[in-house]
């Protein structure tokens, strides 16, 4: 029995934890609906933060530290539906007592950040669950400090294995993060303005549901690249549902055909699941699409509370390639592991899982709203598990942003995606949201649209 076990399993610690959770339970019980506030604290703090950042916040989403499921309280005491969850991080919503209980114990330990030289069992437990749920052929994992950093690790291990080949094929309109190399790889000029271009990527068109020859076109583009540049190319990075690019999906057949070509050419299949992990009806979109036999490297982040690169035996790099002072925080590792357990235990995945059910009622709710406001107002709806988007009018950026900002005032936090047409996007707190709450929030969406007429 260690001193730590005696402490964390001991009566005084458990009583303090229970009392804290009871206090939070009582407090969160008072958060039951959207609420406005006349306090200037939020605007003032947002202004101060904006000055420190050198740019304004998109909207003042400064959290007070408490919420209740899909509802969250902001610094000024106002309460809003959180339908964007920090761009996909709080799947179980706000003030989930089970996760806070895990966090409390983790936060009481003597280190905030675990390191690669010294860590606790949380690091092992997180990877044990993640790799078990990922399944063969993924065998190893390496933690990163951001999704972008996980992608850097993926690129590094591909280059290490495939040297001297160093280039990557990516999809047009892709997003993979903001380090110098990932900004260069990301197919969005606005994110690499003024930066040195490495030109380390070649692009293949993503699936286009309006073009019956789309799969063939992408296949031909890939084959052409391999004919012309085979010796330079180390891998292909796949975003299975384009996230920032507009929540664009593609059928399994599309990916299978491209991945088969990659396999035949012996280039790495790297799947970026930073936004999709946990959201599409299986833990990984590659599992939902039946691509298990193709993947070599997978990157994750966001709702798992930790970012990581997973890879097969063949891609495990030599010692010395991967290192760094910090691994992850004790709290994020412990909570991340618990989230993985709950996703499985509480049956979120599978054809009849909770995510599949949410998808159905979200789609029908949005279609009903579309009937009420007209197809001119909601011109497109896309629902992929808990990744939800719709196009407002013609999908112009300024109008879309205005809708989102007005919606924020009305009490629903959302964001946008796409590159023209732009879309309103939700990354729903699928772990807690109910159909009733979703429909209530849609009445606010309707009201906002009417305000904008
Ligand atoms: C597909 C994808 N890759 C990479 C990233 C970058 O992750 P992070 O913002 O954690 O660096 C994101 C973030 O939105 C993403 O959606």
């Amino acid at each position: 029995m260690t001193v730590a076990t005696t402490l964390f399993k001991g009566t005084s610690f458990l009583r303090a934890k229970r009392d804290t959770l009871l206090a939070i339970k009582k407090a969160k019980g008072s958060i039951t609906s959207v609420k406005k506030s006349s306090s200037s604290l939020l605007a003032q703090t947002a202004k101060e933060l904006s000055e420190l950042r050198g740019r304004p916040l998109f909207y003042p989403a400064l959290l007070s530290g408490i919420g209740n499921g899909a509802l969250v309280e902001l610094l000024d005491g106002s309460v809003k539906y959180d339908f964007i969850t920090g761009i996909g991080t709080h799947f179980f919503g706000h003030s989930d007592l089970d996760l806070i209980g895990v966090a409390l114990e983790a936060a009481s330990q003597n280190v905030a950040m675990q390191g690669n030289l010294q860590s606790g069992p949380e690091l092992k437990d997180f990877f044990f669950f993640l790799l078990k749920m990922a399944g063969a052929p993924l065998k190893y994992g390496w933690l990163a400090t951001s999704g972008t950093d996980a992608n850097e690790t993926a690129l590094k291990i591909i280059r290490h294995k495939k040297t001297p080949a160093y280039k990557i094929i990516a999809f047009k309109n892709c997003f993979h993060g903001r380090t110098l190399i990932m900004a260069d790889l990301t197919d969005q000029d606005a994110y690499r303005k003024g930066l040195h271009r490495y030109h380390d990527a070649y692009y293949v068109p993503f699936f286009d549901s309006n073009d019956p020859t789309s799969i063939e076109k992408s296949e031909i583009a890939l084959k052409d690249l391999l004919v012309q540049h085979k010796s330079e190319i180390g891998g292909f990075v796949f975003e299975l549902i384009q996230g920032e690019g507009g929540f664009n999906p593609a059928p399994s057949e599309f990916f299978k055909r491209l991945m088969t070509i990659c396999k035949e050419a012996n280039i790495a299949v790297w799947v970026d699941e930073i936004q999709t992990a946990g959201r599409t009806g299986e833990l990984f979109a590659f599992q939902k699409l039946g691509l298990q036999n193709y993947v070599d490297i997978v990157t994750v982040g966001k709702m798992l509370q930790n970012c990581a690169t997973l890879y097969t035996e063949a891609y495990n790099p030599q010692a010395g390639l991967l290192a760094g002072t910090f691994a992850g925080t004790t709290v994020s590792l412990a909570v991340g592991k618990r989230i993985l357990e709950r996703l499985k235990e509480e049956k979120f995945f599978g054809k009849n899982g909770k995510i599949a059910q949410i998808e159905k009622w979200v789609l029908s709710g949005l279609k009903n709203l579309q009937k009420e406001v007209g197809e001119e107002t909601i011109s497109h709806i896309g629902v992929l598990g808990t990744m939800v988007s719709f196009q407002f009018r013609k999908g112009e950026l300024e109008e879309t942003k205005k809708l989102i900002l007005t919606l924020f005032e009305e009490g629903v936090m959302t964001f946008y995606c796409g590159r023209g047409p732009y879309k309103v996007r939700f990354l729903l707190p699928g772990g807690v949201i109910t159909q009733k709450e979703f429909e209530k929030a849609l009445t606010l969406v309707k009201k906002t649209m009417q305000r904008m007429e």
Side-chain angles (χ1 to χ4, degrees):
M1 184 88 107
T2 60
V3 175
T5 317
T6 313
L7 167 66
F8 295 125
K9 304 285 170 227
T11 345
S12 1
F13 184 84
L14 291 178
R15 194 182 307 122
K17 181 172 153 185
R18 190 200 59 201
D19 289 349
T20 308
L21 290 174
L22 277 174
I24 296 172
K25 186 175 178 195
K26 188 159 175 249
K28 75 181 256 195
S30 65
I31 297 174
T32 52
S33 59
V34 165
K35 194 173 122 193
K36 295 195 177 175
S37 163
S38 55
S39 157
S40 60
L41 183 63
L42 190 65
Q44 183 54 33
T45 315
K47 186 168 167 279
E48 286 165 19
L49 178 56
S50 298
E51 279 162 12
L52 294 168
R53 291 178 3 138
R55 73 205 50 231
L57 299 173
F58 180 73
Y59 48 48
L62 296 168
L63 313 184
S64 75
I66 193 161
N68 191 2
L71 289 167
V72 65
E73 185 187 65
L74 302 191
L75 216 53
D76 59 352
S78 63
V79 175
K80 300 187 191 299
Y81 281 113
D82 186 0
F83 279 10
I84 192 61
T85 57
I87 316 204
T89 59
H90 322 302
F91 185 79
F92 285 96
H94 295 275
S95 296
D96 180 286
L97 294 178
D98 173 61
L99 296 182
I100 294 177
V102 171
L104 274 177
E105 185 166 330
S108 309
Q109 294 191 24
N110 74 334
V111 288
M113 297 292 295
Q114 298 202 0
N116 284 311
L117 189 63
Q118 290 185 335
S119 59
E122 295 79 11
L123 182 58
K124 186 233 11 157
D125 289 345
F126 176 73
F127 274 125
F128 177 79
F129 273 89
L130 184 57
L131 287 164
K132 198 165 162 213
M133 288 169 82
L138 296 166
K139 193 170 172 194
Y140 304 111
W142 191 264
L143 223 55
T145 47
S146 68
T148 314
D149 186 28
N151 279 344
E152 286 279 335
T153 300
L155 179 60
K156 189 193 256 187
I157 63 183
I158 291 171
R159 286 186 171 172
H160 173 65
K161 184 166 169 63
K162 301 290 181 186
T163 184
Y166 66 100
K167 289 207 176 188
I168 291 293
I169 300 175
F171 284 120
K172 284 187 181 150
N173 197 33
C174 65
F175 180 82
H176 297 292
R178 292 175 185 269
T179 51
L180 289 171
I181 299 282
M182 290 307 137
D184 194 64
L185 196 69
T186 289
D187 187 28
Q188 166 67 289
D189 284 339
Y191 298 169
R192 52 192 181 196
K193 226 183 257 171
L195 297 181
H196 171 75
R197 290 297 316 274
Y198 297 90
H199 297 291
D200 284 356
Y202 292 116
Y203 298 96
V204 162
F206 193 72
F207 182 71
D208 178 358
S209 56
N210 297 316
D211 180 356
T213 64
S214 168
I215 299 185
E216 285 70 30
K217 279 188 184 146
S218 298
E219 256 185 342
I220 290 168
L222 174 57
K223 282 182 182 164
D224 281 353
L225 284 173
L226 290 170
V227 168
Q228 289 172 47
H229 308 287
K230 172 74 183 71
S231 62
E232 292 178 345
I233 297 169
F236 190 145
V237 57
F238 291 82
E239 213 186 340
L240 300 177
I241 296 170
Q242 291 196 313
E244 305 300 301
F247 281 17
N248 310 317
S252 170
E253 180 63 14
F254 175 72
F255 297 116
K256 280 188 179 157
R257 300 252 292 260
L258 296 180
M259 288 179 179
T260 301
I261 298 170
C262 294
K263 289 281 158 193
E264 283 165 5
N266 194 25
I267 65 168
V269 172
W270 157 20
V271 180
D272 178 342
E273 295 246 15
I274 288 162
Q275 192 152 168
T276 45
R279 294 209 161 264
T280 64
E282 293 297 339
L283 180 58
F284 296 99
F286 79 74
Q287 293 168 326
K288 179 145 191 213
L289 292 162
L291 306 171
Q292 292 88 328
N293 294 334
Y294 300 88
V295 295
D296 295 307
I297 298 162
V298 175
T299 44
V300 297
K302 292 192 186 275
M303 73 177 268
L304 302 183
Q305 307 299 302
N306 301 275
C307 302
T309 313
L310 310 181
Y311 40 94
T312 62
E313 179 74 57
Y315 282 84
N316 190 13
Q318 280 165 11
L321 261 284
L322 304 181
T325 305
F326 288 139
T329 75
T330 305
V331 170
S332 69
L333 289 164
V335 172
K337 176 211 146 193
R338 183 69 190 132
I339 285 174
L340 287 167
E341 271 177 346
R342 282 181 57 184
L343 286 170
K344 196 164 188 311
E345 280 167 13
E346 296 174 19
K347 304 197 172 18
F348 280 94
F349 302 140
K351 276 203 179 92
N352 301 314
K354 284 186 184 165
I355 290 180
Q357 288 162 30
I358 293 172
E359 185 177 283
K360 279 189 203 133
W361 52 252
V362 165
L363 185 62
S364 86
L366 278 170
K367 282 194 168 159
N368 288 339
L369 179 64
Q370 187 181 40
K371 271 187 215 139
E372 290 174 41
V373 297
E375 287 189 13
E376 302 254 291
T377 305
I378 293 186
S379 43
H380 171 84
I381 294 171
V383 185
L384 304 152
T386 57
M387 297 175 76
V388 180
S389 64
F390 68 82
Q391 188 177 310
F392 178 54
R393 299 182 183 156
K394 296 204 167 82
E396 282 163 10
L397 181 59
E398 286 318 308
E399 268 199 332
T400 307
K401 276 189 183 170
K402 188 159 178 236
L403 179 82
I404 290 167
L405 294 174
T406 318
L407 206 43
F408 181 82
E409 281 170 27
E410 287 297 337
V412 190
M413 282 201 278
T414 64
F415 201 49
Y416 65 94
C417 60
R419 308 263 159 88
Y422 292 85
K423 296 170 187 167
V424 177
R425 78 165 139 165
F426 304 159
L427 284 162
L428 292 173
V432 282
I433 188 152
T434 62
Q435 183 172 5
K436 210 167 147 201
E437 279 178 308
F438 185 71
E439 281 165 6
K440 256 193 206 168
L442 288 187
T443 61
L444 297 174
V445 176
K446 185 176 163 191
K447 186 173 166 201
T448 304
M449 288 171 169
Q450 284 165 346
R451 254 181 82 179
M452 286 184 62
E453 269 165 13

